Amino acid sequence: MTPAAAPSRYPKAVLFDLLTALLDSWSLWNRAAGSEPAGRAWRAEYLRLTYGCGAYVPYEAMVRQAASNVGLSDAAPDALEAHWLELQPWSGAMEALTALQPHCKLAVVTNCSERLGRQAAALLPIRWHVVVTAEQAGVYKPDPKPYRMALGQLGVNAADAAFVAGSSYDMFGTAAVGLRTYWHNRIGLARVEGAQSPEITSPTLDGLLPWAERFAAPV
């Protein structure tokens, strides 16, 4: 007799970083900056500013400040916003979301303005249960508030939820909240000093579904 397969034990909710874990915003920033090196420098400075500033400063202003700090003109942030709706999902993102949707609530927690964050979330044809932006929360990640706000709106405890990060800065916040984390490190970013190690680090989302399927399995 063939042994029965172990039952799936999905989390009650999976929360996602949006602009790095699900959408390839790196390519759009590179095009807006005029080259990959300029785009990467600009994006790295933006990440440093947003994850270090705490209380919400308008996202669009933060993007412009980051551009100025690395020597780019206003043409770069102007181009980024003009082409915002051209953001594309990473390969595997829609497949992972579609596979998870029957089993878990799905949410976005993004360091973005309400306007641009919701536009970006809508580019993925998924029924999001919750979309929390830094503007809505009043603070940028990795402050615990945006993660906790999403969990509260979902009605799910941190122990019953998972987070998919796009940057290791998120691990400061997920560690504080108690969210188990899968780091979709698509472009091979170095882990920021002091950030807690995620449960899984992968350059793709291929391992997300198997991880989620055994999320609540006994150890």
Side-chain angles (χ1 to χ4, degrees):
M1 180 181 295
T2 303
S8 297
R9 298 174 181 268
Y10 290 90
K12 292 181 179 178
V14 182
L15 289 63
F16 290 85
D17 171 81
L18 177 63
L19 297 175
T20 316
L22 289 175
L23 295 172
D24 175 16
S25 55
W26 290 91
S27 293
L28 185 60
W29 283 62
N30 293 347
R31 291 198 303 272
S35 72
E36 182 174 341
R40 288 213 176 195
W42 175 25
R43 187 65 183 280
E45 176 64 5
Y46 150 81
L47 288 172
R48 187 188 70 80
L49 290 176
T50 53
Y51 282 93
C53 90
Y56 183 74
V57 174
Y59 172 82
E60 293 83 350
M62 193 75 73
V63 169
R64 289 184 181 277
Q65 183 62 57
S68 176
N69 288 359
V70 297
L72 292 173
S73 72
D74 283 346
D78 287 346
L80 181 69
E81 188 164 343
H83 295 280
W84 190 254
L85 296 182
E86 297 173 17
L87 284 164
Q88 295 293 315
W90 291 115
S91 61
M94 280 307 307
E95 292 84 351
L97 291 168
T98 301
L100 287 171
Q101 193 164 33
H103 307 287
C104 318
K105 293 180 178 180
L106 301 178
V108 159
V109 185
T110 179
N111 271 355
C112 202
S113 63
E114 274 286 292
R115 178 176 64 91
L116 294 180
R118 291 187 179 276
Q119 285 179 5
L123 295 173
L124 294 153
I126 287 294
R127 178 180 174 265
W128 297 111
H129 289 81
V130 166
V131 174
V132 169
T133 65
E135 182 176 2
Q136 180 187 359
V139 291
Y140 281 99
K141 301 181 296 178
D143 187 290
K145 185 176 179 180
Y147 311 93
R148 288 178 176 148
M149 179 178 285
L151 290 168
Q153 292 180 12
L154 290 165
V156 173
N157 293 324
D160 298 318
F163 189 84
V164 180
S167 162
S168 62
Y169 285 102
D170 262 309
M171 268 75 89
F172 291 102
T174 58
V177 174
L179 281 165
R180 292 167 59 185
T181 304
Y182 181 111
W183 182 13
H184 177 207
N185 188 10
R186 192 68 172 224
I187 68 167
L189 296 169
R191 183 157 54 96
V192 177
E193 184 177 356
Q196 182 169 316
S197 295
E199 202 160 307
I200 292 178
T201 300
S202 173
T204 72
L205 289 164
D206 294 349
L208 178 57
L209 190 64
W211 180 63
E213 285 176 329
R214 62 178 186 273
F215 185 83
V219 294

